[in-house]
Amino acid sequence: MISGIGTSGGIGIGNALIIPDKNANINITSIDNPKEEKDRYDKVKAHFIIETEKLILKLKNKLKDNDKVALVLKNQIYLVNDEELNKSIYDIIENEHLCAEAAVLKACDMYINILNSIDSDVINQRIVDIKDLSSRIINMLQGQEELNLSELPNDTVIVANELHPSITAAMDTEHVAGIVARRGGENSHAAILSRALEIPAVLSVKNAMTDIKNNDLVIIDGSSGKIYINPDKNIIEEYREKREEYKLKLKELKEFNGKPTVTRDNKILKLFANIGTDYDAHKAVGKSAEGIGLFRTEFLFMNRISIPDEDEQTEAYKRAVIMCDGKPVTIRTLDIGGDKDIAYMGLEHEENPYLGYRAIRYCLDHKDLFETQLRSILKASAYGNVRIMLPMITCIEEIREVKNIIAYIKNEFDKNGIEYDKNIKIGIMIETPAAAVMADVFAKEVDFFSIGTNDLTQYTMAADRGNENVAYLYSVFNPAVLRTIENVINAAKNNNIGICMCGESAGNPLMIPLLIAFGLEEFSVSPSMILETRKNISKWTYEEACNVKNAVMNMVTKSEITAYLKECGGRYGTDI
């Protein structure tokens, strides 16, 4: 048995098909006529765009209701039209007298080397896009045919070093039982596409290409990340049963799509989605999210090598807002620093970046950048229901300074006739002990709170969430954290402002009865967790949740709290 990261749930059982790398063999040659070589590149580029549009259409047809996910391939069209990339290719042909194939490879490798310095899942996706684009254009320039995966045997398990979007688009996905790859993570294109196509997938499998051979019988568990190669009959039978159980669970969850979020005694709640890009908004709407509780705008900045301008940001926010069609879209202002570094923004090394120059602190010190983002958000608010959320707030001066900036921009827009929502709501993340302690005061300054449990737990327990040595302290079920959450919710309700939770704990089935009893109004989870969270909420009545909360809040250790919640969850049939 080998393992990796389970990125698309379900059980896949079938025979392995090893996909060779797409690396093109390049005959590097010198050329005498740069103009002819540039013309040759331009013709292939035009052909590349046409073929990519065909792939997008093909993938849209496969994805049906999730057709917007096909736009991951649109990134390659944006890239091939990028002025800087094309200038680099033309300059290499002109100045170094290299053939178009060599120029494309050299220019793309230069971009990849720049992006490799940025540690980010989103940037890793962009690198995959560039690699895919590079090899496809080089193959076209050399007249080489694309790998044909349009007709596959039943129950094929695809095994590759890295699954590029163009391969997935051209693949006979109807007969694919599962996907295994040596590279790729939870947010890679391979993961996104496999989830949209409902194909079980396990990525980041180090020995995938050496341990698995063509035609091996392979079982993959897309939830646990386990992979069995030529297993015995008992394991095969066990996983056939698990496959049927998973299909039944999926069918049950689909019944909650399009339904309101209510407790068993019909207490109405709201279930929102956390997204990282405007395209994620489509996934959220497809899972019947009732709004966007967190739009992480830093991904818009990380997915490139320079700061996005006002128009680019406006368009990205606007697309998400239009997609949500009047539902709330909560846009968090730039949250960089801590574990989110953006190389071109010049963040200096800090001994403790989590307690340093990050989020609102950075933005208020870079007013031009911050005002550009706020202008973009305000412009997007003309197209729907937008809310502005400020991260890493620790004192009231930060809130007031941002409100003054927004007031200044509104005044400027009014003078110039620029449309925006004049009543746009402004809220803050409660993710520091300072904000939690001052919640009753901050509630008088803002329209809503959103609890970020990841950082709030880390700071409350003084335990770095990435440090294995103190992992035992990092738990939202520690009594100190639970009391903090309850106090924040009470402060919001006492001051009649909205209260949401956008940290991972909002979808934790053990937390759900406590959050219901605390009076949380809005839950915000990843799009993949929406239906399961709605189902788990529906299991509880308000009275039952309050009984659980009353017992838990008298407990003094994390271990007794979690043991009790697991017992209660099993009793009420939630998906623990």
Side-chain angles (χ1 to χ4, degrees):
M1 193 266 287
I2 57 177
S3 62
I5 300 173
T7 59
S8 181
I11 306 297
I13 305 174
N15 296 104
L17 175 65
I18 308 296
I19 305 299
D21 279 341
K22 287 189 65 180
N23 296 335
N25 295 316
I26 301 175
N27 298 318
I28 298 177
T29 56
S30 297
I31 49 101
D32 296 322
N33 192 328
K35 184 182 182 306
E36 283 184 5
E37 202 64 13
K38 288 180 198 173
D39 289 344
R40 188 166 76 93
Y41 166 72
D42 286 338
K43 286 178 184 176
V44 166
K45 185 176 86 168
H47 178 63
F48 173 88
I49 292 170
I50 291 168
E51 290 302 306
T52 304
E53 292 286 7
K54 287 180 183 176
L55 283 176
I56 291 170
L57 186 60
K58 189 180 290 187
L59 192 52
K60 279 185 174 182
N61 291 334
K62 290 178 187 176
L63 292 165
K64 297 177 183 175
D65 290 342
N66 286 318
D67 63 345
K68 286 289 188 296
V69 178
L71 293 176
V72 296
L73 271 167
K74 200 79 174 178
N75 288 338
Q76 294 192 24
I77 294 177
Y78 295 146
L79 280 167
V80 83
N81 284 321
D82 183 82
E83 288 183 17
E84 287 296 321
L85 178 62
N86 282 285
K87 183 178 183 301
S88 297
I89 292 168
Y90 294 145
D91 286 349
I92 292 167
I93 293 171
E94 183 74 39
N95 301 326
E96 301 181 34
H97 290 269
L98 288 177
C99 63
E101 293 94 318
V104 169
L105 180 65
K106 189 169 183 178
C108 287
D109 281 352
M110 178 184 70
Y111 274 75
I112 289 168
N113 289 335
I114 292 170
L115 294 173
N116 267 330
S117 65
I118 306 170
D119 184 17
S120 156
D121 284 344
V122 177
I123 294 300
N124 290 339
Q125 289 179 48
R126 180 52 59 92
I127 291 171
V128 171
D129 283 335
I130 296 173
K131 287 179 180 177
D132 196 14
L133 173 146
S134 175
S135 62
R136 289 180 62 211
I137 288 183
I138 290 167
N139 281 334
M140 289 178 183
L141 283 164
Q142 298 190 151
Q144 296 178 9
E145 291 186 6
E146 290 282 334
L147 183 67
N148 186 4
L149 298 174
S150 60
E151 293 184 11
L152 296 172
N154 278 334
D155 298 325
T156 297
V157 173
I158 298 293
V159 183
N161 262 316
E162 191 165 39
L163 206 59
H164 291 160
S166 60
I167 293 178
T168 312
M171 191 188 294
D172 173 18
T173 50
E174 189 177 336
H175 296 118
V176 174
I179 291 169
V180 178
R182 190 170 70 85
R183 290 190 289 269
E186 178 69 26
N187 296 310
S188 66
H189 286 329
I192 292 167
L193 289 168
S194 56
R195 284 195 292 267
L197 292 162
E198 296 184 356
I199 298 173
V202 180
L203 309 181
S204 289
V205 184
K206 290 182 181 178
N207 301 323
M209 299 294 280
T210 53
D211 289 2
I212 304 173
K213 305 291 187 294
N214 266 322
N215 294 316
D216 278 347
L217 180 65
V218 177
I219 295 175
I220 74 168
D221 186 335
S223 300
S224 71
K226 293 178 181 176
I227 300 169
Y228 294 88
I229 305 164
N230 297 319
D232 61 36
K233 289 181 180 178
N234 291 335
I235 291 177
I236 294 172
E237 189 57 36
E238 176 190 346
Y239 274 87
R240 278 180 178 156
E241 289 178 9
K242 285 186 177 182
R243 182 172 60 184
E244 294 310 307
E245 288 170 5
Y246 182 82
K247 286 179 181 177
L248 182 61
K249 178 184 175 182
L250 213 59
K251 185 179 178 182
E252 289 175 354
L253 288 180
K254 283 181 178 177
E255 291 177 5
F256 286 87
N257 202 346
K259 299 284 181 67
T261 304
V262 294
T263 60
R264 202 168 84 247
D265 56 346
N266 294 318
K267 180 178 173 60
I268 298 172
L269 300 171
K270 293 292 182 184
L271 187 53
F272 294 168
N274 300 332
I275 65 172
T277 69
D278 50 299
Y279 297 125
D280 290 343
H282 177 78
K283 288 191 288 182
V285 171
K287 296 289 187 181
S288 66
E290 291 156 301
I292 303 301
L294 170 62
F295 187 152
R296 298 182 177 97
T297 60
E298 55 271 17
F299 290 119
L300 182 61
F301 288 73
M302 294 163 81
N303 194 17
R304 54 192 302 117
I305 57 174
S306 61
I307 295 172
D309 64 24
E310 188 173 319
D311 289 342
E312 289 177 278
Q313 291 189 58
T314 302
E315 282 303 308
Y317 307 145
K318 189 173 94 174
R319 282 194 294 267
V321 171
I322 291 172
M323 183 71 68
C324 289
D325 193 24
K327 297 182 179 74
V329 177
T330 309
I331 302 178
R332 183 175 71 185
T333 58
L334 184 60
D335 184 8
I336 60 167
D339 59 343
K340 289 170 284 193
D341 185 16
I342 301 177
Y344 65 79
M345 297 188 81
L347 285 169
E348 295 180 0
H349 172 74
E350 295 179 297
E351 288 300 317
N352 194 337
Y354 283 107
L355 301 181
Y357 194 48
R358 59 172 296 198
I360 199 67
R361 301 167 181 180
Y362 179 92
C363 288
L364 289 175
D365 202 30
H366 292 77
K367 291 279 189 5
D368 288 347
L369 177 147
F370 192 37
E371 287 180 16
T372 296
Q373 182 175 39
L374 290 172
R375 287 170 61 88
S376 300
I377 295 172
L378 282 168
K379 284 182 178 179
S381 74
Y383 297 87
N385 184 359
V386 173
R387 310 191 295 193
I388 299 173
M389 184 159 69
L390 312 174
M392 196 62 184
I393 294 294
T394 55
C395 58
I396 204 162
E397 291 89 344
E398 292 165 335
I399 301 171
R400 289 174 176 171
E401 187 171 356
V402 175
K403 287 169 73 175
N404 286 337
I405 294 170
I406 292 172
Y408 172 81
I409 296 170
K410 284 182 173 182
N411 185 51
E412 180 190 336
F413 279 11
D414 289 339
K415 288 178 181 176
N416 292 292
I418 298 172
E419 292 187 12
Y420 68 95
D421 178 4
K422 289 180 169 53
N423 298 310
I424 191 167
K425 292 184 177 179
I426 301 170
I428 61 171
M429 293 278 289
I430 303 290
E431 52 189 337
T432 67
V437 169
M438 293 290 288
D440 59 327
V441 176
F442 290 175
K444 294 176 175 61
E445 292 279 335
V446 297
D447 299 303
F448 66 93
F449 287 161
S450 188
I451 303 172
T453 51
N454 301 349
D455 271 339
L456 184 60
T457 301
Q458 171 175 245
Y459 293 134
T460 300
M461 297 307 300
D464 182 347
R465 60 184 178 180
N467 187 332
E468 293 180 4
N469 295 321
V470 293
Y472 70 98
L473 291 169
Y474 182 76
S475 171
V476 72
F477 296 107
N478 189 288
V481 181
L482 291 178
R483 290 184 182 205
T484 301
I485 291 170
E486 184 179 27
N487 290 340
V488 169
I489 293 173
N490 285 337
K493 294 179 76 64
N494 290 340
N495 287 276
N496 297 312
I497 67 167
I499 179 70
C500 179
M501 178 179 285
C502 61
E504 289 181 14
S505 300
N508 188 322
L510 299 184
M511 275 294 288
I512 283 172
L514 298 179
L515 297 176
I516 292 171
F518 288 161
L520 187 72
E521 298 168 351
E522 299 172 357
F523 296 67
S524 193
V525 299
S526 66
S528 63
M529 286 293 297
I530 288 170
L531 299 183
E532 191 168 324
T533 303
R534 184 170 287 142
K535 175 187 173 184
N536 286 331
I537 287 172
S538 75
K539 298 287 185 180
W540 295 93
T541 68
Y542 181 68
E543 183 181 356
E544 289 164 350
C546 286
N547 290 337
V548 170
K549 185 212 67 163
N550 291 338
V552 164
M553 299 310 281
N554 283 312
M555 297 176 184
V556 294
T557 68
K558 176 191 73 175
S559 56
E560 63 179 323
I561 289 171
T562 52
Y564 176 72
L565 289 172
K566 284 177 182 177
E567 179 193 334
C568 292
R571 195 185 313 153
Y572 290 104
T574 56
D575 294 329
I576 301 172

